[in-house]
Amino acid sequence: YMNKSKFSYFIHMFSMLTTAILFFSSIYILFFFGLNVEIKMKYIWGVLAISLILSAAYLPLYSDLSKKAYIIGSVIYYVFADCVVLGVGLLLGWFRLEVPASIIGMEITFVVVSFSVFFIEYLSIKHSTHVLNDQLKKVHDMNATISSGKNS
């Protein structure tokens, strides 16, 4: 069962992952295959499959965890995500095992996509925290004003 908050977060992660993968893999494709490459539909489905799997796999981290559990879960998620990306990439021919530079490029792209998604998520959480703190301060100030008015 997935509540509305988790579903919204799933859609949020899916959108971020899909956008980051498409953007950074376009740079990878340009670098390793050139400008005149034709993209097949299986590439799009591969990106969507990766985004779907990794968004679902991230949901357990979207809960109240201790800092230690979150860090351990994040490391496990990162290794799992790398395996998923390499597995799908190998299956769909995104890189060739006989060309080490393409594997290295794939790993660099994976790291950049992962860093980008985690960084955007960090900024989003930081912004949400700032907004909530501002709202709490306003409520606190309003209560203080009401309390001081009663004491007059």
Side-chain angles (χ1 to χ4, degrees):
Y1 173 72
M2 189 184 306
N3 64 29
K4 185 177 179 180
S5 175
K6 276 198 174 187
F7 181 73
S8 295
Y9 192 73
F10 172 82
I11 296 299
H12 170 74
M13 283 301 293
F14 181 81
S15 300
M16 276 198 321
L17 281 167
T18 302
T19 301
I21 292 169
L22 288 172
F23 181 76
F24 291 110
S25 65
S26 295
I27 295 169
Y28 169 85
I29 291 167
L30 178 65
F31 185 77
F32 283 100
F33 299 100
L35 194 55
N36 295 324
V37 69
E38 289 186 25
I39 302 295
K40 296 183 180 180
M41 215 38 216
K42 69 180 183 177
Y43 166 77
I44 302 296
W45 285 109
V47 169
L48 293 174
I50 288 171
S51 296
L52 182 71
I53 292 166
L54 297 185
S55 296
Y58 195 79
L59 285 178
L61 296 174
Y62 182 69
S63 56
D64 292 332
L65 299 173
S66 68
K67 187 175 183 177
K68 182 179 178 181
Y70 182 79
I71 291 170
I72 291 169
S74 294
V75 169
I76 292 169
Y77 173 81
Y78 187 83
V79 171
F80 173 75
D82 195 23
C83 291
V84 168
V85 169
L86 289 176
V88 171
L90 185 60
L91 249 154
L92 297 179
W94 293 354
F95 63 93
R96 295 183 295 275
L97 291 176
E98 61 275 1
V99 183
S102 70
I103 299 169
I104 293 168
M106 188 78 169
E107 280 299 306
I108 290 170
T109 303
F110 172 76
V111 169
V112 170
V113 166
S114 298
F115 176 78
S116 299
V117 169
F118 280 119
F119 184 69
I120 290 167
E121 188 60 15
Y122 166 77
L123 292 177
S124 175
I125 290 169
K126 186 177 177 182
H127 174 73
S128 295
T129 302
H130 181 71
V131 168
L132 285 172
N133 284 335
D134 284 349
Q135 289 174 343
L136 285 172
K137 186 177 180 332
K138 286 178 186 175
V139 168
H140 179 268
D141 292 347
M142 187 172 60
N143 285 339
T145 303
I146 292 171
S147 293
S148 67
K150 287 181 181 179
N151 295 336
S152 304

